[in-house]
Amino acid sequence: MSNVKAIIGHNLARVRERIADSAVRSNRSPESIRLVAVTKYVSAEMARVLVDLNCYDLGESRPQELWSKANVLQNREVTWHLIGHLQRNKVARTVELATWIHAGDSPRILEALNAACVKTGVRPSVLLEVNVSGDVAKTGLSWNEVEELAPRLDQFSGVDIVGLMAMSGFDSDAKQARAEFCRVRELRDKLQSLCPAGVQLNELSMGMSDDFEEAIAEGATLVRVGSRLFSGIENRT
Ligand SMILES: *Cc1c(COP(=O)(O)O)cnc(C)c1O
């Protein structure tokens, strides 16, 4: 395990350094960007290595996998992020464990989250996932849907709706990804003007292993990085 820890430690340091460099290049403070380490490729034991390296924001795309890793790690310092699609029958269990829900991708799931949170009193931070690339295979609200939703976001007062989440297109190169992230930021600014008072869309969850620097240049406050943290590790389970 010590070799694994050395490799992950090296990868993590490099990612943090590049986050900081990108922030500075955009006249932003490195502290304004939160690294969400995506652990979906690896075992709970491997995720624990990240925690031992003081990396406390962990992301999973499948609710059951998040539940299972949270159960194995049992670490109060970990802030869990659900970054993938959430089904309504998994809402209750998930909001007990995850502080951040990145894929608020339909009015129905927002309603279900709101109802569960009103009942239990937990208050996760929720992001609206927007489909920026137009890829049909991608989930997320269309621009029309999210614009329609904006003026009534105060209906979901049991949760904190704090911003947008997006993914670049499957075939986008760095330049295209940056243009897509730019459009997400512009959409956010427009939505902010449509939102009821009290709803602040300050957060932008965008950027993965191959495009987090472009995302930071366009204002990302959360970057979701997985494979880059585990490169060089053969057996990830
Ligand atoms: C898997 C995943 C990531 C991490 O992707 P990498 O390219 O491995 O960094 C980020 N966001 C979402 C939604 C994912 O599903």
Side-chain angles (χ1 to χ4, degrees), residues 60 62-70 80-82 97-98:
E60 278 291 330
R62 291 171 188 274
Q64 286 111 317
E65 191 56 33
L66 187 154
W67 305 345
S68 144
K69 283 201 179 80
W80 283 103
H81 298 246
L82 180 73
L97 299 166

Side-chain angles (χ1 to χ4, degrees), residues 129-135 138-143 164-169 172 176-187 205-206:
E129 183 183 356
V130 293
N131 185 336
V132 61
S133 65
D135 286 348
K138 288 245 154 97
T139 52
L141 296 153
S142 72
W143 289 44
L164 302 183
M165 181 273 215
M167 281 184 268
S168 59
S172 300
Q176 287 165 319
R178 180 155 177 182
E180 287 162 358
F181 296 143
C182 174
R183 289 169 58 210
V184 176
R185 178 170 43 78
E186 289 171 354
L187 175 65
S205 168
M206 52 191 197

Side-chain angles (χ1 to χ4, degrees), residues 38 40-41 61 83-84 165 167 207-210 224-228:
V38 177
K40 68 185 183 194
Y41 312 103
S61 49
I83 61 172
M165 181 273 215
M167 281 184 268
M208 314 191 346
S209 285
D210 290 332
R224 310 176 309 268
V225 178
S227 37
R228 199 171 281 278

Side-chain angles (χ1 to χ4, degrees), residues 94-143:
T94 300
V95 296
E96 281 171 26
L97 299 166
T99 311
W100 288 80
I101 308 285
H102 289 235
D105 56 7
S106 70
R108 269 160 51 112
I109 200 67
L110 294 174
E111 278 153 24
L113 279 164
N114 188 59
C117 292
V118 165
K119 203 158 131 193
T120 59
V122 292
R123 269 196 95 78
S125 293
V126 176
L127 300 162
L128 304 175
E129 183 183 356
V130 293
N131 185 336
V132 61
S133 65
D135 286 348
V136 284
K138 288 245 154 97
T139 52
L141 296 153
S142 72
W143 289 44

